[in-house]
């Protein structure tokens, strides 16, 4: 279909600090015992997109990711791993691999997207409108029923920042305005407002960070505006803002070149045909705007910024905060369990002690052992964990190779790999970084524990 | 060479110029004659010039008479058991007809509109015959075409000596009897004609003029199916069998495949399995129109979109066009056709022959796949059907010696040529023609949004003619508003009204310009729904109706109503008025109540040819009766381009 797929997998994310580390870059962060990148790749594979470019920040991370991909998707996907330096942003990453892009349109997917929206839908919308950029919007996920009273005001403030202010045209097909942060005032181009006549502002939609770009447009924007760092905060708003005064020479088909060689008459015919086509199709406001007052065809250049709004029934969340991580873990084992690829269901049943109960919506990795009288509710436990007796794990994520002593109580926490919890530890809403050792009898509440950086 | 042309020219007169002095359908005659007298420019020069070939009674050719006579031989022994024994006796009448040509030559001169009308009358009558004959296919065309002829023969006042009893009787009591021929008689007549045709074909085959078009097939297009069976055996019996078979085969070949009937269980099932899209269930659809493919409404769009990457074998360009059809982004016969052809062009450019396959075969099947995909998105328009036929014939005719890249460039340039010649140039010619019919002070009425009509209006405006335009529009598409916008922007003075007010504006209108989706060979205009009403009102007010249509949209089919073939639109579009909350009377019905409601949103209707004064096409201005001539004479050419 002449689409090239770029997965921006990212590297070490600051938002997820205790969870990700050098050894465990963000793409490999396990969600229900399965790296988050797997969800995206699986989704793409289902859509029959098998040639991918995965962009990872940092050489080391790239090696790790590459090793994992070639291990998991061997002979199923054809993946190129591109390592880019850290902290150059999404736009920078694309700029770095720009010379690899050859297809007519580029599909850019964030590696931390857990969603069941078919990427084809976005691509089809993009093609149908012949747009310069199409972005996917989804409704903002309901952030967990925080029964355990998790994550205090700090996290909530963070979430507020994630809201997008999005302006749509009445037909909900075109993007007229996008702003990432809530600001005191929003600037809206008068030109656009005038052309459309009516704009609908929404704050209940979220940019899912899945974009389809026209390659020529993308490359040109990246070339010209070399200060742009982020797709979402720089490139997309720029394209949206300039859609009626398109500076990039853009689309408009490569007719110009062909015609110059040919006779004038054929050029007339081309104009004739394009007029027939234009008249037959329902004009978007772009067309009407670019029309001169006397009705003759365009001298002003425009490009279209379209949106694809995922239906509210579909699942679409980005893993970009610890809260999101918890939510996704909960949803993937609960409501949205169709997202789990089949190779990912519970492994060989772990050894359970007597009177140990495992509630619904749990995942237990293979080779984990549990002592007597344990309780596990709505939690995920990784591979090869050793859990003593009288342990209570509720609403938590326990990664691989974790040792938990007797009598621990863990609520709403994330415990990374190779953590050792000694006896009678009580954790509530904590994040424990990899390799950390929690001494016996300690109690923590809403804290982030990690090994000191050397 | 000459002989062949003559023999082919025969059916021209039979079907088109036929005229009976006292047809029962006389009623509308003075009316339809009136507009042409009112508006002299319509009846004089260009129109009648282009007509002339139709009207000349061709000299009878020997082979033709032979065909007619030999027809008598095979008939009695031939086929269906339910046939009447009197069959053979009708055959001499065919030759009677030929002796009787002089009166018919009158037609061309003064009775132009009447010719149209009377032939239409005949079609109407033969209508019943068509439905009565349960023949799957061949009977259809033949009966409609041939009826007038044979009845005319009956009417002829100089019977041949060798006539049988039955026929004398008929001849003497000419009119009333003819008006109510029984079903059996008509059937018999039809059978005899078929036999005659078979025989004449045998004749042709024997005489060895390969490539000759069978003279008794006036409406169908010969070029693809010309060659008869390679060897005709000399033994009579076996020959007949052979001929029969070949006739059957040919018939199969030139008839369009039976259209899918969507109320047919078994077929529906098969279609469902093959299709890309989900077939919506046939709920709440009007009984009479259940045979039409259900409308694929917008709910299919997300489904198709989500499959975007899974349908790898569909070329992206084709896919895009399909999406646009489905979403309704693209409408209008010309635009859809151009978009489709351009998509195919792109697909052909990207095509490469798989190993161990030949380009022509593989590409044909590939195009076929694209076409069926497009059909699923929206039923094809006639114009697209013709364009596809053109493309496929071009592929089939590619010389095997061409390399792949050469073949591809040839095809691409062919498509370009088709677009340029058949659409762009044709439109330009139509502009010139139609502009001559616009005079200062005219009030022109148009309906909906036809791109040709729009160009005509703009062109006439550019020429500096002073006229006003009435744009008539209808729900739910309101396409007229698009047209209106473009006209007003260009400075034309317009009146906008809805279809239901048409009788009030019609009295000041001097010309009606209509676009068409297709024109059938009986002169019926198949166009956006509502066109027939406009034409009828115009006819009642004696306002000339000019239908502007490119010749590539002509179709050899004969259609009498808009029921058997049509397209269903979105039923929701008519039950809801967008943006009007005050008229949402149908909104909150319960499911139980909705069961009593059937919604019908038809897209097209058929305008009978007697409402049409003239058809403006790229071959000039012609009366509706001349459509089959264009179809027959030029179709071959454009298949060959």
């Amino acid at each position: 279909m002449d689409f090239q797929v770029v997965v921006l997998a990212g590297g070490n994310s600051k938002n997820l600090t205790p969870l990700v580390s050098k050894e465990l870059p963000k793409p490999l962060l396990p969600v229900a015992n399965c790296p988050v990148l797997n969800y995206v790749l699986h989704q793409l594979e289902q859509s029959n997109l098998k040639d991918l470019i995965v962009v990872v920040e940092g050489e080391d991370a790239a090696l790790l990711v590459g090793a994992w991909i070639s291990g998991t998707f061997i002979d199923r996907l054809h993946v190129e791993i591109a390592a880019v330096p850290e902290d150059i942003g999404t736009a920078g990453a694309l700029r770095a691999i720009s010379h690899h892009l050859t297809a007519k349109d580029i599909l850019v997917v964030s590696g931390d997207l857990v969603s069941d929206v078919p990427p084809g839908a976005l691509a089809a919308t993009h093609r149908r409108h012949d747009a310069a950029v199409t972005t996917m919007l989804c409704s903002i996920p309901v952030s967990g029923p925080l029964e355990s009273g998790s994550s205090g005001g700090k996290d909530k403030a963070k979430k507020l920042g994630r809201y997008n202010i999005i302006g749509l045209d009445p037909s909900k097909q075109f993007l007229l305005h996008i702003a990432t942060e809530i600001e005191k005032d929003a600037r809206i181009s008068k030109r656009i407002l005038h052309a459309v006549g009516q704009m609908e502002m929404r704050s209940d939609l979220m940019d899912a960070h899945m974009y389809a770009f026209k390659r020529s447009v993308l490359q040109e924007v990246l070339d010209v505006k070399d200060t742009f760092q982020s797709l979402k905060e720089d490139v997309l708003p720029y394209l949206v803002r300039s859609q009626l005064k398109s500076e990039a020479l853009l689309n408009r088909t490569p007719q110009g070149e062909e015609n110059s060689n040919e006779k004038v008459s054929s050029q007339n015919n081309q104009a004739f045909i394009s007029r027939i086509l234009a008249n037959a199709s329902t004009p978007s406001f772009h067309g009407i705007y670019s029309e001169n007052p006397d009705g003759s065809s365009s001298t002003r250049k425009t490009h279209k910024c379209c949106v694809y709004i995922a239906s509210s029934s579909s699942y679409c969340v980005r893993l970009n905060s610890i809260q999101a991580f918890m939510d996704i873990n909960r949803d993937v084992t609960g409501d949205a369990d169709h997202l789990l690829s089949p190779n990912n269901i519970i492994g060989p049943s772990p050894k359970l002690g007597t009177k140990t109960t495992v509630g619904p919506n749990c995942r237990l990795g293979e080779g984990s052992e549990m002592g007597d009288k344990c309780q596990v509710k709505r939690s995920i436990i990784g591979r090869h964990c050793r859990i003593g007796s009288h342990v209570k794990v509720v609403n938590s994520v326990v990664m691989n190779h974790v040792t938990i002593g007797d009598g621990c109580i863990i609520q709403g926490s994330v415990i990374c790999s190779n953590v050792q919890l000694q006896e009678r530890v009580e954790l509530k809403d904590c994040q424990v970084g990899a390799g950390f050792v929690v001494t016996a009898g300690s109690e923590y509440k809403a804290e982030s524990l990690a090994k000191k950086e050397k | 060479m000459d002989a062949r042309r003559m023999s082919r020219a025969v059916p021209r007169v039979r079907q088109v110029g036929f005229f009976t002095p006292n047809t029962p359908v006389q009623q509308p005659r003075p009316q339809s004659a009136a507009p042409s007298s009112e508006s002299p420019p319509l009846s004089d020069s260009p129109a009648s010039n282009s007509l002339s070939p139709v009207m000349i009674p061709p000299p009878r050719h020997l082979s033709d008479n032979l065909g007619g006579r030999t027809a008598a031989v095979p008939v009695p022994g031939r086929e269906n058991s339910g046939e009447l024994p009197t069959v053979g006796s009708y055959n001499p009448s065919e030759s009677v007809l030929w002796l009787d040509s002089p009166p018919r030559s009158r037609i061309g001169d003064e009775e132009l509109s009447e010719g149209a009308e009377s032939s239409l009358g005949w079609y109407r009558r033969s209508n019943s015959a068509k439905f009565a004959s349960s023949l799957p296919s061949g009977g259809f065309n033949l009966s409609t075409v041939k009826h007038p002829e044979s009845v005319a023969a009956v009417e002829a006042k100089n019977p041949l000596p060798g006539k049988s009893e039955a026929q004398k009787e008929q001849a003497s009591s000419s009119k009333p009897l003819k008006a109510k021929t029984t079903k059996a008689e008509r059937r018999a007549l039809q059978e005899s004609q078929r036999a005659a045709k078979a025989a004449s074909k045998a004749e042709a085959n024997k005489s060895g003029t390969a490539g000759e078009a069978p003279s008794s097939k006036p409406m169908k297009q010969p070029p693809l199916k010309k060659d008869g069976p390679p060897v005709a055996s000399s033994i009579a019996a076996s020959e007949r069998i052979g001929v029969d078979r070949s006739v059957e085969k040919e018939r199969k070949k030139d008839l369009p495949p039976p259209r899918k009937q969507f109320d047919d269980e078994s077929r529906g099932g098969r279609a469902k399995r093959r299709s890309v899209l989900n077939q919506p269930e046939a709920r709440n659809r009007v009984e009479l129109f259940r045979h039409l493919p259900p409308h694929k409404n917008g709910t299919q769009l997300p489904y198709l979109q989500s499959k975007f990457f899974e349908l790898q074998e569909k070329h992206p360009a084709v896919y895009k066009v399909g999406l646009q059809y489905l979403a309704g982004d693209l409408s209008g016969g010309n635009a859809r056709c151009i978009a489709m052809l351009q998509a195919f062009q792109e697909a052909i450019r990207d095509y490469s022959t798989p190993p161990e396959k030949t380009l022509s075969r593989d590409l044909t099947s590939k195009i076929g796949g694209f076409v069926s995909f497009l059909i699923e998105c929206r039923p094809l328009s006639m114009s697209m059907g013709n364009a596809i036929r053109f493309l496929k014939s071009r592929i089939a005719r590619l010389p095997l010696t061409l390399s792949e890249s050469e073949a591809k460039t040839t095809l691409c340039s062919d498509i370009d040529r088709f677009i340029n010649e058949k659409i762009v140039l044709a439109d330009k010619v139509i502009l010139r023609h139609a502009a001559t019919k616009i005079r200062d002070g005219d009030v022109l009425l148009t309906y909906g949004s036809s791109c040709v009509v729009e160009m005509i209006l703009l062109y006439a405006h550019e020429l500096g003619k002073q006229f006003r335009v009435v744009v008539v529009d209808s729900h739910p598409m309101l396409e007229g508003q698009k047209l209106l916008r473009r006209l007003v922007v260009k400075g034309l003075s317009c009146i906008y009204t809805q279809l239901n007010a048409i009788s009030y504006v019609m009295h000041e209108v001097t010309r009606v310009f209509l676009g068409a989706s297709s024109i059938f060979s009986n002169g019926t205009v198949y166009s956006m729904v509502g066109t027939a009403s406009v034409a009828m009102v115009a006819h009642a007010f004696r306002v000339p109706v000019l239908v502007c249509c490119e010749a590539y949209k002509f179709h050899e089919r004969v259609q009498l109503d808009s029921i058997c073939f049509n397209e269903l639109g979105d039923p929701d579009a008519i039950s809801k008025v967008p943006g009007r909350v005050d008229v949402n009377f149908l909104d909150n019905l319960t499911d139980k109540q909705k069961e009593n409601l059937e919604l019908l949103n038809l897209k097209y209707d058929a305008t009978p040819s007697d409402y049409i004064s003239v058809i403006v096409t790229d071959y000039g201005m012609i009366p509706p009766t001349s459509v089959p001539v264009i179809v027959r004479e030029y179709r071959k050419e454009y298949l060959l381009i």
Side-chain angles (χ1 to χ4, degrees), chain B residues 356-589:
Chain B
E356 306 195 2
K357 286 194 177 164
T358 51
L359 178 129
S360 60
R361 284 173 188 274
D362 189 58
L363 191 57
T364 313
S365 70
K366 212 142 187 189
I367 298 279
F370 294 158
V371 170
S372 58
F373 170 73
L374 292 182
I375 291 178
E376 274 181 53
C377 295
R378 193 180 158 185
L380 294 185
S381 66
M382 299 290 167
S383 53
M384 292 160 73
N386 285 341
I388 291 166
R389 211 184 318 175
F390 159 78
L391 180 60
K392 284 196 171 168
S393 83
R394 294 306 304 172
I395 296 174
R397 275 156 192 277
L398 282 176
L400 285 172
T401 50
L402 279 186
S403 74
E404 188 180 307
S405 61
E406 281 171 332
K408 276 158 61 177
T409 43
T410 322
L411 286 177
C412 289
S413 67
D414 279 340
I415 291 176
D416 269 337
R417 203 132 44 101
F418 185 89
I419 295 177
N420 284 338
E421 287 180 11
K422 293 292 157 192
I423 302 177
V424 176
L425 274 182
D427 280 347
K428 286 179 179 164
V429 174
I430 290 176
L431 294 191
R432 303 264 144 73
H433 280 302
T436 61
K437 295 286 166 243
I438 300 178
R439 293 171 303 183
D440 282 348
D442 266 348
V443 179
L444 311 176
L445 184 140
T446 182
Y447 175 68
S449 169
S450 154
C451 71
V452 194
V453 172
E454 179 189 346
M455 286 186 277
I456 291 170
L457 297 176
L458 294 179
Y459 179 71
H461 182 70
E462 273 169 33
L463 291 183
K465 302 201 175 181
Q466 298 298 317
F467 59 93
R468 287 187 299 148
V469 182
V470 180
V471 179
V472 179
D473 203 357
S474 72
H475 273 285
M477 299 289 282
L478 295 179
E479 283 173 319
Q481 294 192 355
K482 276 195 266 173
L483 171 71
L484 200 64
R485 182 194 162 85
R486 293 191 288 261
L487 292 183
V488 171
V489 162
K490 295 271 184 171
L492 280 78
S493 72
C494 296
I495 299 173
Y496 179 69
T497 184
Q498 291 278 324
L499 182 59
N500 39 21
I502 188 162
S503 56
Y504 301 97
V505 290
M506 192 56 90
H507 60 84
E508 59 170 325
V509 171
T510 55
R511 297 270 188 291
V512 174
F513 281 91
L514 296 173
S517 170
S518 180
I519 299 183
F520 297 117
S521 27
N522 57 348
T524 304
V525 172
Y526 183 72
S527 186
M528 175 188 166
V529 68
T531 307
S533 327
V534 173
M536 187 177 66
V537 174
H539 183 252
F541 279 81
R542 305 188 182 182
V543 178
V545 177
L546 293 88
V547 174
C548 308
C549 181
E550 300 85 352
Y552 85 104
K553 290 180 178 172
F554 289 6
H555 201 278
E556 67 258 24
R557 183 184 296 166
V558 169
Q559 193 169 323
L560 303 159
D561 53 46
S562 38
I563 299 170
C564 60
F565 182 82
N566 210 319
E567 191 184 325
L568 292 178
D570 184 4
D572 288 340
I574 52 170
S575 64
K576 293 183 185 113
V577 186
R580 290 280 302 278
V581 268
D582 50 329
V583 288
N584 55 353
F585 306 116
L586 292 179
D587 275 5
N588 34 22
L589 289 177

Side-chain angles (χ1 to χ4, degrees), chain B residues 192-204:
Chain B
S192 74
Q193 279 154 5
R194 198 171 302 140
K197 182 175 133 197
S200 69
K201 192 171 293 160
E203 198 73 23

